[in-house]
C-alpha cells in the first residue's frame, strides 16, 4: 500500500535536492541564466509540496490552495528556464496572468461554488499551459535539431500533461483523484509525477551539459584574442573544402594575410598596442567578407581567409577590398593612432592540390612573399610556372 503523506514527503526531499543541484550550477556558471529559473522551480515546488503536506495533515483547504500555487509557480519557472535556455525573452506577464487566473478559478470552485472536477480542471490548466507553451522550443529548437536532453524533456512534458489529463478524466468519471481524497489512485498518480519531475530535471541537466560542451568545443576552435577561427579550425575547414572541391571540381580560394611592420609596432608601442591592432584589423576585414567566408588567425600577425566557391578572380577582388579598407583606415589615422598595412597572397585550389590543404597554403605563402617583395601593402596572385613546351625540353636536352 502506498502512503500519500510519505510520497509527498519524498516529493519535498526530491525538489530540495534538485534545487541544491541547480544552485551549484548557478554558482559555478553565473552566465547560464536558465539554471536560476530551474533552481527557483525546484525550491518553489518544494515549498508548495510542504504546504500541500500540511494541508493533508490538518485537512484544511487553505494550505492545499497555497501548495497548488507553489506547484503552478514551479511549472511557470521551469517553462521560463526553457525560454532563457534558448535566449528567448521571459514572458513574466503571461506566466503571472495564467497562474493568477488558474488559482482564482480554483479558489472560486472551492469556496464560492464547490465543484471538484472544475477545480481540478483549472488547476491542471495552470500547470500545463506554461509547459506546453515552451514545448515547441524543446522539440523544434531555432538552431535546428533538438539535443537528446531537449527531446527527453519534451517527451516528459507530454507525459506529465497526459497524466494531468487522465486526472481530469478520472474526476469527470466520478473518481476523486484530489489530494484531499487520498486513496491509492491518487498515490499512484503522485508517484508517477514524482518520477516524471525527476526525469524532467535530468533532461534539463543533459541540456545544460550539451550547451557547456558545445561552448568548450567552440573555444577550442577560436582564437583567444580576436575571437575568429584559430589554426585548428582553419585546417579543418580547408580539409573539408578540399574534399568538396575534389568531388565536384568547383574551385575555392585562400587569402594569406600578414600585417606589415608588426614587430616594429610591438617594439615601439608595446604588445598591448599590437594586440589592439590585431583586433582592429579583424573587425575591418570582416566588414569586407561575404556570408560563408571564414577569417582565421593562424598565429602572430598572420591571418587566412577561406573563400568557398570562389575563383582566383573573385578572390583577388575580395583581397583588393580588404586591402582598400586598411588603406582608408590608415589614411585617417591621426595623433597616437597606429596605421595598419597588410600584404596578401591569393591562391586557388586545383586538381594538383587535391586533398592536401598544406599545398594550397604553400601557394598562398608564395604569393604573399611576392607581394612583400613588391613593396608590401599590396596583394599578389599565385601564378604557377607554365609547363615547358616539347621544343624547349628538346633544346634543354641538347645542351645537357
Amino acid at each position: 500500500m502506498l502512503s500519500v503523506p510519505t510520497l509527498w514527503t519524498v516529493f519535498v526531499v526530491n525538489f530540495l535536492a534538485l534545487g541544491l543541484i541547480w544552485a551549484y550550477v548557478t554558482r559555478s556558471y553565473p552566465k547560464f541564466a536558465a539554471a536560476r529559473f530551474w533552481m527557483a522551480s525546484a525550491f518553489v515546488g518544494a515549498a508548495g509540496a510542504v504546504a500541500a503536506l500540511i494541508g493533508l495533515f490538518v485537512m484544511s483547504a487553505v494550505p492545499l490552495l497555497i501548495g497548488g500555487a507553489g506547484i503552478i509557480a514551479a511549472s511557470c519557472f521551469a517553462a521560463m528556464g526553457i525560454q532563457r535556455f534558448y535566449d528567448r525573452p521571459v514572458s513574466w506577464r503571461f506566466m503571472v496572468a495564467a497562474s493568477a487566473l488558474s488559482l482564482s478559478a480554483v479558489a472560486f470552485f472551492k469556496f464560492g461554488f464547490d465543484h471538484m472536477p472544475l477545480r481540478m480542471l483549472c488547476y491542471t490548466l495552470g500547470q500545463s499551459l506554461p509547459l506546453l507553451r515552451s514545448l515547441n522550443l524543446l522539440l523544434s529548437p531555432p538552431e535546428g535539431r533538438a539535443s537528446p536532453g531537449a527531446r527527453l524533456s519534451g517527451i516528459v512534458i507530454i507525459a506529465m500533461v497526459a497524466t494531468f489529463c487522465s486526472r481530469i478524466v478520472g474526476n469527470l468519471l466520478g473518481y476523486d483523484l484530489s489530494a484531499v481524497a487520498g486513496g491509492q489512485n491518487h498515490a499512484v498518480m503522485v508517484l508517477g509525477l514524482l518520477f516524471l519531475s525527476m526525469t524532467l530535471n535530468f533532461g534539463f541537466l543533459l541540456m545544460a551539459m550539451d550547451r557547456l560542451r558545445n561552448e568548450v568545443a567552440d573555444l577550442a576552435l577560436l582564437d583567444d584574442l580576436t575571437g575568429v577561427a584559430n589554426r585548428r579550425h582553419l585546417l579543418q575547414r580547408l580539409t573539408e573544402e578540399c574534399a568538396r572541391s575534389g568531388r565536384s571540381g568547383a574551385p575555392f580560394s585562400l587569402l594569406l594575410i600578414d600585417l606589415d611592420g608588426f614587430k616594429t609596432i610591438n617594439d615601439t608601442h608595446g604588445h598591448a598596442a599590437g594586440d589592439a591592432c590585431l583586433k582592429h584589423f579583424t573587425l575591418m576585414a570582416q566588414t569586407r567578407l561575404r556570408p560563408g567566408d571564414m577569417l582565421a588567425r593562424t598565429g602572430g600577425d598572420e591571418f587566412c581567409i577561406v573563400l568557398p566557391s570562389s575563383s582566383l578572380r573573385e578572390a583577388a577582388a575580395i583581397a583588393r577590398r580588404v586591402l582598400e579598407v586598411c588603406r582608408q583606415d590608415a589614411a585617417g589615422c591621426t595623433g597616437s593612432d597606429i596605421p595598419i598595412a597588410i600584404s596578401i597572397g591569393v591562391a586557388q585550389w586545383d586538381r594538383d592540390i587535391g586533398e592536401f590543404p598544406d599545398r594550397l597554403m604553400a601557394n598562398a605563402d608564395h604569393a604573399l612573399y611576392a607581394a612583400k617583395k613588391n613593396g608590401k601593402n599590396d596583394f599578389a596572385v599565385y601564378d604557377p610556372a607554365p609547363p615547358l613546351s616539347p621544343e624547349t625540353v628538346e633544346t634543354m636536352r641538347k645542351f645537357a
Side-chain angles (χ1 to χ4, degrees):
M1 297 292 289
L2 296 174
S3 171
V4 174
T6 301
L7 288 175
W8 276 101
T9 303
V10 175
F11 222 117
V12 173
V13 175
N14 171 63
F15 270 110
L16 287 176
L18 292 172
L20 291 175
I21 292 173
W22 286 119
Y24 180 79
V25 174
T26 301
R27 182 176 180 181
S28 302
Y29 305 97
K31 295 183 180 180
F32 188 50
R36 293 195 291 270
F37 289 95
W38 290 332
M39 175 185 67
S41 174
F43 283 134
V44 172
V50 169
L53 189 59
I54 294 173
L56 291 176
F57 279 114
V58 301
M59 298 303 295
S60 172
V62 175
L64 288 173
L65 184 63
I66 297 174
I71 300 299
I72 292 175
S75 298
C76 291
F77 279 120
M80 288 189 285
I82 296 172
Q83 292 172 352
R84 288 299 298 127
F85 181 85
Y86 290 103
D87 298 321
R88 295 297 179 87
V90 174
S91 354
W92 285 97
R93 183 177 300 177
F94 172 82
M95 299 300 180
V96 171
S99 301
L101 288 174
S102 175
L103 289 172
S104 299
V106 169
F108 174 78
F109 288 117
K110 175 60 181 177
F111 301 108
F113 176 70
D114 192 2
H115 195 282
M116 187 272 296
L118 289 179
R119 185 166 68 247
M120 295 303 297
L121 173 63
C122 297
Y123 177 56
T124 298
L125 289 175
Q127 287 181 285
S128 303
L129 286 179
L131 295 174
L132 289 174
R133 195 167 184 263
S134 303
L135 186 60
N136 186 55
L137 289 174
L138 294 172
L139 301 181
S140 301
E143 64 269 15
R145 184 180 178 184
S147 66
R151 286 197 300 271
L152 175 61
S153 301
I155 293 171
V156 171
I157 287 176
I158 294 174
M160 293 177 73
V161 173
T163 304
F164 298 151
C165 292
S166 65
R167 181 176 59 190
I168 295 176
V169 172
N171 287 325
L172 292 175
L173 293 176
Y175 299 98
D176 191 349
L177 301 178
S178 63
V180 176
Q184 288 302 294
N185 291 330
H186 177 73
V188 171
M189 188 164 294
V190 171
L191 181 62
L193 291 174
L194 173 63
F195 170 76
L196 290 174
S197 65
M198 293 176 61
T199 309
L200 179 61
N201 278 270
F202 182 67
F204 291 160
L205 284 171
L206 287 179
M207 290 167 59
M209 291 169 59
D210 188 63
R211 170 68 61 84
L212 295 172
R213 183 174 62 251
N214 290 338
E215 290 180 357
V216 171
D218 290 340
L219 289 175
L221 298 176
L222 297 178
D223 177 59
D224 292 338
L225 178 64
T226 60
V228 299
N230 59 16
R231 186 177 182 85
R232 177 186 298 178
H233 196 183
L234 171 70
L235 292 176
Q236 289 182 2
R237 179 67 180 273
L238 286 177
T239 301
E240 294 171 0
E241 294 294 337
C242 285
R244 185 179 296 111
S245 294
R247 292 190 300 268
S248 64
F252 77 96
S253 298
L254 178 70
L255 306 185
L256 184 59
I257 305 173
D258 186 79
L259 271 63
D260 298 329
F262 185 71
K263 184 177 184 303
T264 304
I265 294 176
N266 278 335
D267 294 341
T268 305
H269 302 279
H271 290 280
D275 291 346
C277 287
L278 294 175
K279 294 178 182 178
H280 185 54
F281 164 75
T282 299
L283 295 175
M284 288 192 298
Q286 287 176 325
T287 63
R288 296 299 182 266
L289 300 183
R290 308 161 303 179
D293 297 341
M294 189 184 80
L295 174 64
R297 183 187 177 203
T298 56
D301 60 336
E302 290 188 353
F303 293 82
C304 281
I305 300 177
V306 181
L307 305 172
S309 304
S310 299
S311 64
L312 199 61
R313 182 185 297 272
E314 293 170 329
I318 294 175
R320 186 178 293 109
R321 287 161 52 185
V322 174
L323 189 63
E324 286 176 355
V325 73
C326 291
R327 287 174 176 173
Q328 293 171 4
D329 185 77
C333 289
T334 58
S336 59
D337 295 338
I338 303 174
I340 297 176
I342 61 172
S343 296
I344 306 176
V346 186
Q348 176 185 298
W349 179 91
D350 57 32
R351 290 290 183 183
D352 293 334
I353 291 172
E355 297 185 1
F356 301 96
D358 55 322
R359 296 178 182 177
L360 179 61
M361 295 184 68
N363 291 347
D365 188 63
H366 184 82
L368 176 63
Y369 177 77
K372 286 185 172 294
K373 190 176 179 181
N374 291 337
K376 301 181 179 182
N377 201 22
D378 202 353
F379 76 94
V381 175
Y382 176 72
D383 185 17
L388 296 176
S389 63
E391 294 80 4
T392 305
V393 173
E394 184 64 28
T395 303
M396 292 177 64
R397 286 177 179 175
K398 290 180 180 180
F399 285 97

